[in-house]
Each structure stands twice: as C-alpha cells, then as structure tokens.
Amino acid sequence: MALLVIASCQLMVVLDITIVNIALPDMQRSLDFSTTSLSWVVNAYTLTFGGLLLLGGRAGDILGRRRVFIFGVLLFVLASLLGGLSQNSGQLLAARALQGVGGAIASPTSLALISTTFREGPERNRAFGVFAAVSSGGGAIGLLAGGMLVEWLNWRWVLFVNVPIGLLIVLATPRWIKESERHPGRFDITGALTSTVGMVLLVYGFIRAAQEGWRDAFTLASFAAAVVVLVAFVLVERRSKQPITPLHMFADRNRAGTYGIMLSLSAAIFGMFFFLTLFVQDVLGFSPLEAGLAFLPVSAVIAVGAGLASKFLPVYGPKPFMVIGAVLAAAGLAWLTLTDVHSTYAGSILGPMLVFSLGMGMEFVALTLMALSDVPVAESGAASGLLNATQQVGGALGLSILVTMFGTASNNEAKKQVRQFLAQATPAERLQFRRTGQLPSPWSDEVLTAGVSSAFVMAAIFTLVAALVAVIAIQVRPSDLERLKGGATGPGQS
C-alpha cells in the first residue's frame, strides 16, 4: 500500500507533463499561442520542477519526508485547479509554474521514501522497477487520459483531474507511510534560485533563437546572463556548507555518468512526445482521443523493458541495459526521421515508437538503481532530487533545443511552400493568407513535417550521446552486483 501511494503520486506528477501535451492544439486555439511559444506550456512546468527538485529533496531530509510529501501534493492540487480556471496564456503559464513547484516538493520525497521503506536487494529492486515503469510509462498513460478528457469534455479537465487524485493521495499518506527520521540542516535558497533562474534564461535563449534568430540581441543577452547565473550557482554550491547540490556526488564515476545519461535521454523522450502529438493530430488528422490511443502501446512496451531490466539486473548489472536501451532509443528516433506527409500511423509511427519505448523501459530502471546505489540515508533525498532534476532540466533544455531545430527547419520549408502556394492559390485563398499569415493544408503539413523530422535528428543524437557515456563512464563493480542481490549494504543503508 505504501508503494501504491508513492507510485500514484509519481504517476500524477509525470502524467501531468504529457496529459497537457495532448491538449496543446486546443490550448493553442483557445489562448492564442504560437507553435514555438506553445512549448512554454510544457517548459513552465518542467523548469520550476527541475530547478527546485533539489530543494524539495533537501526539505524532505530536514523536515520529514511524509510531511513535505503531503505539502507538495496539496500545492500541486491547488495549482492544477488554478490552471484549469485560466482565462489567458499568462495565467496558464503561471499556474503551470506553480504546479512545477508542487511537483518538485513531492516527487524527490516519494523516491527517497522508497529508499527508506524497502530493504536493499530484491525488494527494493522490485519497488524501483515499479517506480521507474510509472515514471517512464506514465507519459503515454497521460496522453491517453488527456485524449479522453479533451475529446469528451475540454482541455481544462487535463488540469482539473489532478484535484481528486491528489486529495486521495493526501488522505491515504498518513495511514500507509511512516514519517522518516529528520536530519538537521539548512536550506540552500541561493543555490535553488540561481539554478532555476539560470536554466530559465538558457531555455528562453533557445526558444527566442527559434523565433527571432541567433543574432537577436535578446537571444544573445539571455545566453550571456544564463552563463553568468549558472557560474554563480556553481560557486555558491562550492562554498556552501550544506549545498542544495552536493557536488561530491559527482565524484563517483558511475553516479556522474548516470546523471549525464539521464540528461540526454530526457531531452529525447520529451521531444518525442511533444512533436509526435502535434504530428498525429495536425498532419494525420487524429482526434485527441485517437492520439491518446495511438500512444497507449508505449506504456505496455516500457513496462516490458522495465520488467526485463528488474529481473536481470542482479545477474548482468546495469551497464548492459544502459547501453542497449540508449541504442534502441536512438534507432527508434532515427526511424522517425523518415516520416513525411504521406506517412501512416501503422506504417511509419508505431514501429519506431515501440523500439524507442523498449529501450527507455530498460534505461530508467538501471539509471534509478545506479543513481541511488551506495548513498547514505541522510542524503537519499538529495540524491533522488538530483536524479529527478537532471531528468526535468534535461527535458526542458532538450525540448528548447529541439524547438530551435524545428523552428529553423520549418521556417526554411515555409519559404518554399509559400512560393508554391501563391503559384497555385485562388484569389480568395491568397486574400485569406494575407489576412492570417497561415498556410492551409497540405502546404502547412509540409512545413510542420519538415520541422518535426529535423527535431528527431537531434533527438537521435542525444540518445547516441547517452549510449557513448554509458560505454565510457559506467563501471559495474562486484560490490554493486552483491547489493543488487541483497548482499552487503552501503554506508548508512538499512
């Protein structure tokens, strides 16, 4: 029951990233977003989530994990309610950012609760397997749930649905989860602020570049400010007695490699969901419900990959699953670059999605176990927060880079398609184009497809980088295999 409560919270937090994706076209029409600015509906959440995860993990260590867990879920519920009631784009983005704060408080605490609730060995391996399957497969479940809610109600219900789920989690937590031991310490507020602000500036720079070009003054100023703030963050962390990011965790070769792999893979999976959601609805003409059903196989295959990894990790160790998983993900994304306006779901989308999903299922179990292996109980919140932070920051930063690739490729294709459209259009069609600036189908489909294909090229490169890091950096020691089998315990572990 404790695992059910913890996994339900993680499912709600992860599901919220993609349940919103399926509603993006409706949000765009309702609140007047451009395609590039639309990514902020995702990034406003992931940036505050990723930027404050470390502070959330630290809060659980200091104040008690159950108490902090409940507060985070309640804040998430409030923000979801406000987001569903939004009347303009600014209100929606503010609510999404507040959702990220609530998720940042609840999510790392939930992962740390697994470390302290379940004994190291097969029991904890299975718990991490469930957690990893929920974390990676929840995205596809969110697309299905979002499709049903948008189709049968409207886009606001993709946010309202969190309210009853969150309240049930809050009511169940005191009954099934014990309060953890509190560890004295201080909050590194300066570190949390500089890391969050630095990442927001960096992501804004990439998205601005997609809209205004790389020579734009605000684009260059955003990148410069991001560098200054992120350097300040590193200096603050090095001098702090109790930093939000314990830099000594990067001294462990395996853990540092794990964080690098998670950063790269998250960029790929965020991009895959974001661009495929737009493609199947805007080019293939799927309804929101059909789009959600189209992604349902992803969850099943991720669960298969996670199950295989959980079963054989004690035998082979995590490295083979990290390498093979990243290679499979890269193969799936490379396959998706072949999509065009004549593609079909069964012929061009389903196969690469399944290959990608199998690889991701293997990856997330191996990464979660490696990141929290041999970590003292007093730092399990910080360690889990750092893993989640790299996932969310990698997703936000990666999506902004992919949006830049999308924007550049689609702008170039748009110039070509506008010429062809004007050569063939009727006077009425030309007048409509001058009034709205929007190309009609099929010319608009060509523009979107060119941008999506270009984004998938970069996403495939991200996954190949992850595979390379796994080959070079990860080393599995006999003691690691012993712990996975339930043998010797690490320092401070139960």
Side-chain angles (χ1 to χ4, degrees):
M1 288 303 299
L3 181 60
L4 177 62
V5 173
I6 293 169
S8 297
C9 174
Q10 184 66 7
L11 178 62
M12 181 180 70
V13 170
V14 172
L15 180 147
D16 202 72
I17 298 171
T18 54
I19 197 173
V20 168
N21 272 9
I22 209 75
L24 288 175
D26 287 74
M27 290 178 175
Q28 185 175 20
R29 289 186 288 269
S30 176
L31 301 179
D32 197 27
F33 284 99
S34 68
T35 301
T36 48
S37 65
L38 190 64
S39 63
W40 278 108
V41 177
V42 177
N43 284 338
Y45 177 77
T46 55
L47 280 173
T48 51
F49 189 12
L52 297 176
L53 271 167
L54 299 172
L55 188 63
R58 185 67 174 154
D61 291 340
I62 296 173
L63 301 176
R65 295 189 182 115
R66 189 179 72 177
R67 180 183 295 107
V68 171
F69 178 78
I70 292 173
F71 175 76
V73 173
L74 284 173
L75 185 60
F76 191 89
V77 166
L78 174 62
S80 299
L81 179 62
L82 294 175
L85 296 173
S86 298
Q87 298 302 308
N88 56 56
S89 59
Q91 291 176 3
L92 178 61
L93 295 182
R96 291 287 289 162
L98 187 60
Q99 271 188 303
V101 177
I105 295 171
S107 184
T109 313
S110 64
L111 184 54
L113 283 169
I114 288 182
S115 296
T116 54
T117 303
F118 300 94
R119 291 191 302 273
E120 191 161 28
E123 182 179 289
R124 191 181 296 178
N125 293 349
R126 287 193 295 270
F128 276 140
V130 172
F131 190 89
V134 166
S135 297
S136 50
I141 296 172
L143 291 171
L144 175 61
M148 291 188 291
L149 291 169
V150 173
E151 184 89 2
W152 297 338
L153 299 169
N154 60 53
W155 67 263
R156 298 181 184 277
W157 282 91
V158 302
L159 298 167
F160 287 147
V161 72
N162 293 322
V163 177
I165 296 173
L167 292 178
L168 284 174
I169 292 171
V170 168
L171 292 174
T173 299
R175 177 177 176 81
W176 298 108
I177 296 179
K178 296 180 181 179
E179 183 59 276
S180 64
E181 180 184 354
R182 297 170 64 174
H183 302 277
R186 297 179 180 178
F187 292 109
D188 181 14
I189 302 298
T190 305
L193 290 176
T194 51
S195 64
T196 305
V197 171
M199 288 308 304
V200 169
L201 288 169
L202 188 60
V203 168
Y204 175 76
F206 279 109
I207 294 177
R208 177 86 183 185
Q211 295 173 321
E212 305 296 337
W214 290 94
R215 297 183 180 180
D216 175 70
F218 284 104
T219 300
L220 298 175
S222 180
F223 283 129
V227 171
V228 171
V229 175
L230 290 174
V231 168
F233 165 69
V234 174
L235 294 176
V236 166
E237 298 305 280
R238 291 183 63 183
R239 296 175 182 177
S240 176
K241 294 181 179 179
Q242 295 181 339
I244 192 174
T245 307
L247 297 180
H248 68 267
M249 288 189 178
F250 292 96
D252 183 279
R253 176 175 179 164
N254 284 342
R255 195 167 294 117
T258 298
Y259 294 144
I261 295 168
M262 179 64 86
L263 200 71
S264 298
L265 292 178
S266 298
I269 196 167
F270 273 55
M272 191 274 285
F273 280 127
F274 182 84
F275 289 109
L276 273 188
T277 300
L278 293 178
F279 182 83
V280 299
Q281 291 188 77
D282 292 347
V283 177
L284 299 186
F286 283 22
S287 69
L289 178 58
E290 289 171 334
L293 289 170
F295 286 96
L296 189 58
V298 172
S299 292
V301 176
I302 283 178
V304 171
L308 288 172
S310 298
K311 182 177 180 179
F312 293 107
L313 267 168
V315 180
Y316 301 107
K319 182 170 182 174
F321 297 99
M322 290 180 175
V323 176
I324 294 171
V327 170
L328 286 173
L333 289 167
W335 192 353
L336 282 171
T337 64
L338 303 177
T339 54
D340 57 33
V341 293
H342 304 294
S343 295
T344 62
Y345 171 75
S348 305
I349 305 298
L350 180 59
M353 273 201 319
L354 297 183
V355 174
F356 177 87
S357 303
L358 182 63
M360 281 297 179
M362 294 179 179
E363 280 285 353
F364 278 103
V365 176
L367 290 172
T368 304
L369 279 167
M370 183 60 78
L372 294 179
S373 175
D374 208 21
V375 175
V377 170
E379 291 187 339
S380 60
S384 58
L386 192 55
L387 178 66
N388 274 315
T390 55
Q391 181 180 1
Q392 300 305 322
V393 169
L397 181 59
L399 181 57
S400 68
I401 295 172
L402 296 179
V403 165
T404 303
M405 296 291 294
F406 169 88
T408 302
S410 58
N411 286 338
N412 292 336
E413 183 66 22
K415 295 174 184 177
K416 174 183 174 182
Q417 294 300 324
V418 165
R419 289 195 298 269
Q420 294 183 5
F421 166 73
L422 293 177
Q424 303 174 33
T426 65
E429 289 174 332
R430 292 179 185 178
L431 181 62
Q432 179 70 12
F433 173 69
R434 292 191 183 97
R435 184 181 299 117
T436 63
Q438 300 294 319
L439 282 170
S441 181
W443 296 276
S444 60
D445 295 344
E446 293 282 0
V447 172
L448 180 65
T449 302
V452 168
S453 180
S454 178
F456 283 139
V457 171
M458 180 57 68
I461 292 173
F462 286 148
T463 53
L464 288 175
V465 169
L468 186 62
V469 172
V471 170
I472 296 173
I474 302 301
Q475 293 181 335
V476 179
R477 298 159 294 219
S479 59
D480 296 324
L481 292 177
E482 187 67 24
R483 277 193 298 272
L484 290 172
K485 294 175 182 176
T489 58
Q493 298 281 10
S494 57

